[in-house]
């Protein structure tokens, strides 16, 4: 049986009997083709109390980061929802490569991982770029493109050059304009439209990300899922990409939509170890769920995919197969996840859907537009898993 109605309600949607519409308010304007957003896990650690000649209030409200594809930047909305709210734009000095048509971002939000302090990448974030590496149209595309990693901690890491001024020196003067300086980059997912951090606790640095590579094997038969482990980020000012692990999952076919400025939501459920992927170009749009710990090593990827970050043997580039995946439901979507619910936004129907987990693994969908419950007594195990 389904849980009582009181346990099926989604607080964000209000009472189940409510018929009133939602109140919407504009919190930031002037964005330039915003593609993705995320809340910073530690508000104020990047901007501090004063940056670029402006005062900020890190203890007031949350901090929202929004990626802008058209101007290759990130808008930081500080002290969100308070009287101190303000917005500042920041990008990489080499945005033409590291943030070229930036389309997705994901933070490492794992605060208590028990990793060594010098290795923990909590408060780092990665972006992926929907571009084949043409340097903003200045060169022929060479497909040497992938996720870029950044350390946002400026307050506690003075002098570490996590931000630099226009001359490339540490942005230590609070009046200077500051730019991001990347902590690492890998280059195996050109035209990437989605990225998610993996909250695993097994790697030394916790810098594992999953990406939606739309190019795949460039055969025209869709893109692929790619796992990036930065392993040991080289840090600001270095270009050493020799210590990393990249795994391709050709079993997991991913298809972008028909829009020129697209984004595909991705998120990992930390307890279930399931990656949810918006697969907008498949069957008119669907959500694909992948058991990310089920893939097995098949062979090296260096021969079939000859463009990669480093040729030293310490750089792993592999193909993994026999990965379990599930098609959950169909819609064009972007989505985010809380521990208890999966929120899905359909860009086609302009509606919000929720899938809830219960201890008995019963899914309960609630469609917000009609404010009616879509009860499906279907457990996860009832979905037909495809294993190749």
């Amino acid at each position: 049986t389904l849980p009582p109605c009181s346990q099926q309600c989604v607080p964000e949607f209000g009472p189940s009997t409510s018929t009133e519409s939602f109140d919407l308010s504009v919190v930031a304007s002037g964005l330039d083709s915003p593609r993705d957003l995320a809340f910073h896990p530690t508000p104020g650690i990047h901007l501090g109390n004063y940056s670029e000649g402006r005062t900020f209030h890190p203890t007031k409200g949350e901090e929202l980061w929004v990626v802008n594809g058209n101007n290759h930047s990130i808008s930081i909305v500080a002290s969100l929802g308070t009287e101190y709210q303000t917005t500042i734009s920041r990008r990489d000095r080499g945005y033409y490569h590291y943030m070229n048509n930036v389309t997705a971002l994901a933070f490492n939000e794992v605060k208590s991982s028990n990793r060594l302090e010098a290795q923990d990448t909590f408060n780092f974030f990665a972006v992926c770029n929907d571009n084949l590496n043409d340097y903003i149209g200045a060169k022929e595309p060479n497909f040497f493109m992938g996720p870029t990693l950044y350390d946002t901690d400026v307050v506690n890491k003075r002098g570490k050059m996590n931000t630099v001024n226009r001359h490339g020196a540490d942005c230590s003067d609070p009046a200077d304009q500051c730019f991001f300086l990347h902590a690492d980059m890998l280059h195996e997912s050109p035209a990437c439209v989605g990225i998610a951090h993996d909250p695993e606790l097994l790697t030394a640095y916790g810098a594992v990300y999953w990406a939606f590579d739309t190019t795949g094997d460039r055969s025209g038969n869709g893109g692929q899922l790619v796992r990036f482990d930065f392993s040991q980020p080289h840090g600001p000012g270095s270009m050493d990409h020799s210590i990393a692990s990249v795994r391709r999952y050709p079993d997991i076919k991913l298809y972008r939509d028909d829009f020129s400025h697209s984004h595909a939501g991705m998120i990992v459920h930390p307890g279930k170890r399931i990656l949810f992927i918006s697969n907008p170009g498949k069957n008119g749009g669907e959500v694909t769920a992948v058991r990310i710990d089920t893939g097995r090593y098949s062979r090296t990827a260096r021969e079939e995919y000859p463009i990669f970050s480093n040729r030293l043997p310490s750089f792993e580039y592999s193909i993994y197969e026999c990965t379990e995946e599930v098609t959950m439901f169909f819609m064009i979507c972007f989505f985010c996840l809380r521990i208890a619910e999966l929120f899905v936004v359909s860009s086609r129907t302009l509606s919000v859907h929720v899938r809830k987990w219960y201890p008995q693994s019963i899914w309960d969908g609630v469609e917000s537009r009609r404010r009616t419950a879509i009860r499906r007594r279907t457990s996860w195990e009832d979905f037909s898993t495809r294993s190749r």
Side-chain angles (χ1 to χ4, degrees), residues 296-312:
R296 296 293 180 268
Y297 174 82
S298 175
R299 59 194 181 276
T300 180
R302 295 186 178 217
E303 295 182 4
E304 297 169 57
Y305 304 87
I307 300 175
F308 50 92
S309 297
N310 194 280
R311 297 192 176 276
L312 291 178

Side-chain angles (χ1 to χ4, degrees), residues 99-334:
M99 284 188 171
N100 189 346
N101 197 22
V102 57
T103 300
L105 85 163
F107 282 100
N108 178 348
E109 301 179 6
V110 184
K111 184 175 183 179
S112 302
S113 66
N114 293 321
R115 292 183 171 95
L116 296 176
E117 183 178 355
Q119 297 179 347
D120 196 349
T121 56
F122 173 57
N123 289 318
F124 281 52
F125 75 98
V127 299
C128 72
N129 310 298
D130 189 4
N131 184 267
L132 300 178
N133 198 34
D134 65 357
Y135 288 82
I136 318 293
K139 297 184 177 181
E140 289 292 323
N142 62 9
F143 293 86
F144 195 64
M145 175 61 76
T148 313
L149 185 70
Y150 295 92
D151 183 357
T152 66
D153 191 349
V154 174
V155 172
N156 300 315
K157 298 179 180 179
R158 299 291 182 186
K160 295 295 185 180
M161 294 183 63
N162 288 331
T163 56
V164 294
N165 60 25
R166 65 187 184 279
H167 301 297
D170 185 66
C171 198
S172 55
D173 188 334
D176 273 348
Q177 181 183 9
C178 296
F179 299 85
F180 294 118
L181 184 60
H182 76 289
D184 210 342
M185 187 178 187
L186 296 171
H187 309 81
E188 291 73 29
S189 61
C192 173
V193 296
I195 195 167
H197 177 254
D198 189 335
E200 51 77 34
L201 299 175
L202 299 179
T203 62
Y205 286 78
V208 177
Y209 293 81
W210 297 86
F212 187 135
D213 170 22
T214 65
T215 58
D217 59 6
R218 284 190 270 168
S219 66
N221 185 27
Q224 297 172 0
L225 179 66
V226 184
R227 177 187 182 271
F228 291 92
D229 181 0
F230 289 91
S231 298
Q232 183 177 322
H234 60 54
S238 174
M239 301 292 285
D240 182 4
H241 304 124
S242 63
I243 303 178
S245 171
V246 180
R247 300 173 182 176
R248 306 194 68 90
Y249 293 75
D251 282 355
I252 311 301
K253 289 292 186 180
L254 304 176
Y255 300 86
R256 69 182 307 153
D257 57 28
D258 296 329
F259 300 105
S260 59
H261 303 307
S262 61
H263 167 80
M266 302 173 65
I267 195 75
V268 177
H269 190 289
K272 297 177 179 293
R273 300 293 298 152
I274 297 169
L275 171 65
F276 296 93
I277 310 170
S278 172
N279 206 348
K282 186 176 182 181
N283 298 320
E286 68 180 39
V287 174
T288 299
V290 179
R291 296 183 186 271
I292 52 179
D293 295 329
T294 61
R296 296 293 180 268
Y297 174 82
S298 175
R299 59 194 181 276
T300 180
R302 295 186 178 217
E303 295 182 4
E304 297 169 57
Y305 304 87
I307 300 175
F308 50 92
S309 297
N310 194 280
R311 297 192 176 276
L312 291 178
S314 57
F315 178 81
E316 178 202 344
Y317 193 27
S318 306
I319 293 174
Y320 272 56
E321 295 181 328
C322 300
T323 309
E324 296 178 7
E325 66 170 317
V326 172
T327 297
M328 292 175 53
F329 46 92
F330 300 91
M331 64 182 65
I332 298 276
C333 55
F334 155 87

